[in-house]
């Protein structure tokens, strides 16, 4: 009876470490095959994959966000720089310099796709 | 005093190794692991991807560090945690509990080899699980010997 607590705690710890181990397993996440260029006022994003990008979350300079963007396979999209806003609603301005852009989307059902681009 | 000692042991032998292993996963492993889906669900993927691109861990970490050492840290931390729960007291009962991390790591690798679960079988991972587990048992045993009763 005295050893009930160590057994219970051990079971909890074993469960937690198994979750960590599960998290280290391979998933179906992929790197997006997309081209991203910047014209000075807008981003040109081309989906070079054979599947659609859904519900994309595009983050600029780790601060400004654009959510719920869909990009069909093979299509090119133009995203104006001023469409990005931070969590307080402040828009990215033409005076600011884009340095890094990350895109994460749902692809082929439940998989996630990622892309990272940066400019000097 | 015992609580303070236990807390210090938890930080040094449990939390710290897991932080090292977890950091290696986050900054250096391919984004195709399940952990990245969790980070994405938490809205942290942009932050993590930015950190990865800045650090470029693959440029200075070797393959063993990236692909095998997390298994060692996981096994070591797991074994030490169980040992601390059992008050660093090694007897037949607690010893069999302390073998669980090592054995579960080995079983997981065997299941990967037989394609029962996802992942890539790696004999070096098995060695890492064993070394981590034995190191943990050694630490727990050492704590037992120097424990002031």
């Amino acid at each position: 009876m005295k050893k009930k607590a160590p057994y219970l705690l051990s079971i909890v710890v074993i469960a937690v470490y198994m979750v960590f181990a599960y998290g280290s397993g391979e998933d179906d996440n992929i790197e997006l095959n997309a081209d991203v260029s910047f014209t000075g006022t807008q981003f040109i994003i081309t989906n070079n994959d054979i599947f659609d990008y859904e519900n994309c979350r595009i983050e600029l300079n780790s601060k400004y966000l654009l959510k719920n963007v869909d990009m069909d396979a093979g299509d090119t999209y133009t995203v104006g720089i001023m469409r990005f806003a931070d969590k307080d609603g402040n828009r990215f301005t033409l005076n600011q310099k884009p340095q890094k852009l990350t895109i994460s989307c749902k692809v082929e059902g439940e998989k996630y796709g990622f892309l990272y681009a940066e400019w000097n | 005093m015992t609580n303070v000692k236990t807390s210090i042991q938890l930080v040094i032998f449990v939390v710290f190794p897991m932080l090292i292993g977890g950091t290696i996963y986050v900054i250096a492993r391919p984004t195709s692991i399940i952990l990245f889906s969790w980070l994405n669900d938490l809205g942290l993927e942009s932050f993590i991807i930015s950190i990865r691109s800045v650090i470029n861990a693959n440029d200075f970490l070797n393959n063993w560090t990236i692909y095998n050492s997390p298994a060692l840290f996981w096994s070591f931390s797991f074994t030490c945690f169980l040992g601390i729960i059992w008050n660093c007291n090694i007897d037949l009962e607690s010893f069999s509990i302390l073998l669980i991390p090592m054995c579960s790591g080995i079983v997981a690798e065997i299941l990967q080899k037989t394609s029962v679960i996802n992942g890539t079988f790696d004999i070096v991972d098995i060695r890492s699980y064993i070394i981590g587990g034995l190191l943990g048992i050694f630490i727990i045993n050492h704590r037992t010997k120097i424990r002031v009763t």
Side-chain angles (χ1 to χ4, degrees), chain A residues 14-75:
Chain A
I14 289 166
V16 169
Y17 275 76
M18 290 303 164
V19 170
F20 286 138
Y22 175 74
S24 71
E26 290 285 322
D27 204 351
D28 296 326
N29 298 336
I30 57 165
E31 191 168 333
L32 299 175
N33 178 18
D35 290 327
V36 181
S37 59
F38 180 59
T39 65
T41 56
Q42 54 195 17
F43 293 101
I44 312 290
I45 304 170
T46 302
N47 176 352
N48 294 319
D49 281 305
I50 55 169
F51 44 80
D52 299 339
Y53 300 163
E54 296 168 9
N55 202 17
C56 294
R57 178 188 157 101
I58 309 175
E59 192 166 312
L60 182 58
N61 290 2
S62 305
K63 185 178 179 187
Y64 297 88
L65 266 179
L66 183 62
K67 292 180 181 174
N68 304 321
V69 179
D70 293 329
M71 294 184 245
D72 292 341
D75 281 357

Side-chain angles (χ1 to χ4, degrees), chain B residues 58-122:
Chain B
N58 290 279
D59 289 348
F60 58 89
L61 294 179
N62 62 23
N63 278 345
W64 181 84
T65 307
I66 295 172
Y67 292 99
N68 304 114
S69 71
L72 190 150
F73 288 120
W74 179 86
S75 182
F76 174 76
S77 166
F78 194 175
T79 306
C80 287
F81 205 165
L82 292 173
I84 291 168
I85 287 172
W86 287 84
N87 205 23
C88 298
N89 181 28
I90 295 189
D91 53 25
L92 188 63
E93 192 177 20
S94 63
F95 186 71
S96 55
I97 298 276
L98 295 181
L99 291 177
I100 288 175
M102 229 190 309
C103 295
S104 55
I106 294 167
V107 168
E109 286 298 318
I110 292 168
L111 292 177
Q112 284 174 0
K113 187 173 175 62
T114 51
S115 301
V116 175
I117 60 173
N118 279 347
T120 309
F121 170 78
D122 188 349

Side-chain angles (χ1 to χ4, degrees), chain A residues 71-98:
Chain A
M71 294 184 245
D72 292 341
D75 281 357
T76 297
Y77 291 82
T78 303
V79 181
I81 199 169
M82 292 186 70
R83 287 181 63 190
F84 290 87
D86 68 13
K87 62 180 179 181
D88 298 322
N90 302 310
R91 300 241 167 225
F92 195 88
T93 67
L94 292 173
N95 296 328
Q96 291 172 282
K97 187 182 170 191

